[in-house]
Amino acid sequence: VTTQTDDLIDDYLRRLAAALSDVPRARREELIEEIEDHIAEERAAMEVESEAQIRNLLDRLGDPADIAREESEREGLPEPTRRSHTMEIAALILLPLGAFLAFIGWFVGVALLWASDTWSTRDKLLGTFVLPFGLLPAVLFPLLSLGPEECRQEVEGVFVCEPTGTSAAIGIPVFAFLALAPLVTIFVLARRLQRGG
Amino acid sequence: MVVAGGQEAWLAQVRRGTLQYCVMALLAAEERYGFDLVKALADVDGMVTSEGTIYPLLSRLRRDGLVESTWRESTSGPPRRYYQLTDEGRRALTDFRREWRRFAGAVDHFLDGTPT
C-alpha cells in the first residue's frame, strides 16, 4: 500500500513542479517544499494510511495548475506601484512639438526621453536624431527653400522670374521626409511604451 | 450548492479576494505556521477550495509586507515557518473589516428585505 500512495504523491509533486516551470527556481523549490511539508504533516496525523485518504488529501490540496496560477498571478489585487507614464507621454509630445515652444521644449523632451527607463538606448538615439527639433524643420523647410525670386533678363528683353531655392522635384520629397520621419519615430516609441512599460 | 455558471466564477473571485483578509484575521489573534493556518481556514465550510493555494498567498503577503515570518524549531519534525501580522497588515485588516461590514450590511439590507 505504501508504495502505491508514495507513487500518488510523487506524481502529484511532479505535476506541481511542471506547472511551476515558469516560476523562478528558488521560489519554486521553496513552494514545493512547503507542499511536501504539508503532505508529511497530514500523513503523520493519519492512524492508518489508505490510498483513499491520500487521494482525498491531494484533492484538498487542489490541482497543481491552480496552485501555479495563484503563484504567478496577481490578478484581482492592486499592483503595489502602478506605473503612470506621465514623463514618457510628456517626452512623446515635446519631441515633435517642443521646438515650437520657444525652441527649448525639444531639449526638455530629449532630457525626459533619456531619463526614462522604458526605452532602450537604441530607442533613445532614434528619438534624439530622427529628427532633431521634431517637426520644426518640416515647417521651416518650405519657408527657407523657396527663397526670394530672382529675375533675369533673357534675350529679346523677356524677363523670367524663378525662385532661387530648391525645385519642387527635390523639395516635395525632402519635405515629406522631414514631416514623416519624426512622426514615425514617435509612433515607434509610443508602441514600445504601450507594450513594455 | 448549484449556482449558475457566471455566479460560480464570481463567487470564486470574491472568495479569492477576501481569503487574504481571513488569513490576516487569523494571524491578528496569534502567530501560526502554514499547515496550521491552512487547517484553520479549511475547517470553515465554503472558504477554501484548494488548500495548496494558501502557500502562494502567504508568500505574496510576505512580499507585500503585510505579514512576516520567523522559523521556529518544532518538537515533531523539521523547523516551521511561523507567520505574524505586521503593523501595515494590521492597518490593512482594520480598513478591510470596516469596508466589508459596510458593504455586507448594505447587501444584506436589500436581500433580507425582499421575499425569497
Side-chain angles (χ1 to χ4, degrees):
Chain A
V1 178
T2 312
T3 48
Q4 206 174 353
T5 54
D6 282 347
D7 284 351
L8 281 174
I9 291 166
D10 285 349
D11 179 57
Y12 183 87
L13 292 172
R14 230 188 338 268
R15 282 191 291 138
L16 180 62
L20 292 172
S21 59
D22 290 340
V23 175
R25 201 175 130 211
R27 175 55 198 152
R28 181 173 65 225
E29 286 172 357
E30 186 181 53
L31 179 55
I32 290 173
E33 207 182 304
E34 285 173 325
I35 299 289
E36 281 173 341
D37 287 350
H38 181 103
I39 293 171
E41 189 141 359
E42 288 255 36
R43 289 177 87 178
M46 291 177 186
E47 283 173 18
V48 184
E49 190 174 289
S50 69
E51 190 189 325
Q53 276 180 306
I54 295 296
R55 285 189 185 277
N56 279 329
L57 185 172
L58 297 178
D59 278 355
R60 282 197 304 273
L61 266 178
D63 188 340
D66 288 341
I67 300 176
R69 199 177 314 119
E70 191 67 32
E71 176 65 31
S72 49
E73 267 182 25
R74 298 189 57 99
E75 192 188 80
L77 297 164
E79 290 281 306
T81 47
R82 182 96 188 104
R83 284 284 314 272
S84 69
H85 294 292
T86 318
M87 184 171 85
E88 283 79 7
I89 290 165
L92 291 182
I93 294 169
L94 287 174
L95 284 172
L97 303 173
F100 299 102
L101 297 171
F103 206 62
I104 202 170
W106 181 78
F107 291 97
V108 176
V110 170
L112 292 174
L113 175 74
W114 285 86
S116 165
D117 57 7
T118 300
W119 291 299
S120 66
T121 306
R122 218 177 111 253
D123 294 334
K124 290 172 181 178
L125 289 171
L126 179 77
T128 309
F129 294 107
V130 184
L131 292 170
F133 309 111
L135 289 169
L136 185 66
V139 172
L140 293 183
F141 176 75
L143 302 176
L144 297 177
S145 64
L146 292 178
E149 287 203 334
E150 183 181 76
C151 300
R152 58 186 186 279
Q153 194 179 4
E154 301 274 310
V155 282
E156 293 153 9
V158 180
F159 281 93
V160 174
C161 294
E162 283 175 343
T164 53
T166 322
S167 72
I170 301 170
I172 288 170
V174 170
F175 173 75
F177 170 76
L178 291 177
L180 287 177
L183 295 178
V184 170
T185 298
I186 295 308
F187 178 74
V188 169
L189 294 179
R191 278 279 291 275
R192 186 94 66 208
L193 175 65
Q194 199 181 15
R195 283 196 201 143
Chain B
M1 184 176 62
V2 179
V3 287
Q7 248 181 28
E8 200 155 348
W10 181 82
L11 272 173
Q13 281 301 106
V14 172
R15 201 178 278 129
R16 201 158 166 243
T18 47
L19 184 57
Q20 78 169 76
Y21 295 102
C22 298
V23 168
M24 288 159 65
L26 282 172
L27 294 177
E30 56 178 332
E31 64 166 26
R32 287 172 186 262
Y33 69 102
F35 182 80
D36 184 29
L37 258 177
V38 172
K39 287 297 147 188
L41 290 164
D43 274 350
V44 179
D45 179 47
M47 197 60 229
V48 180
T49 48
S50 301
E51 295 181 0
T53 58
I54 308 290
Y55 293 99
L57 170 64
L58 284 170
S59 154
R60 194 169 61 212
L61 292 178
R62 203 149 38 95
R63 244 186 354 255
D64 291 349
L66 298 171
V67 307
E68 57 195 3
S69 67
T70 321
W71 288 93
R72 296 196 200 291
E73 293 299 333
S74 150
T75 49
S76 57
R80 291 162 173 168
R81 194 204 282 276
Y82 276 83
Y83 293 89
Q84 302 96 19
L85 201 59
T86 61
D87 289 344
E88 195 185 338
R90 216 167 281 279
R91 276 195 296 277
L93 178 61
T94 305
D95 288 350
F96 178 78
R97 186 178 276 128
R98 189 180 52 240
E99 286 307 312
W100 178 262
R101 294 238 163 100
R102 208 158 73 95
F103 173 67
V107 174
D108 285 347
H109 171 79
F110 292 109
L111 294 186
D112 296 346
T114 316
T116 47

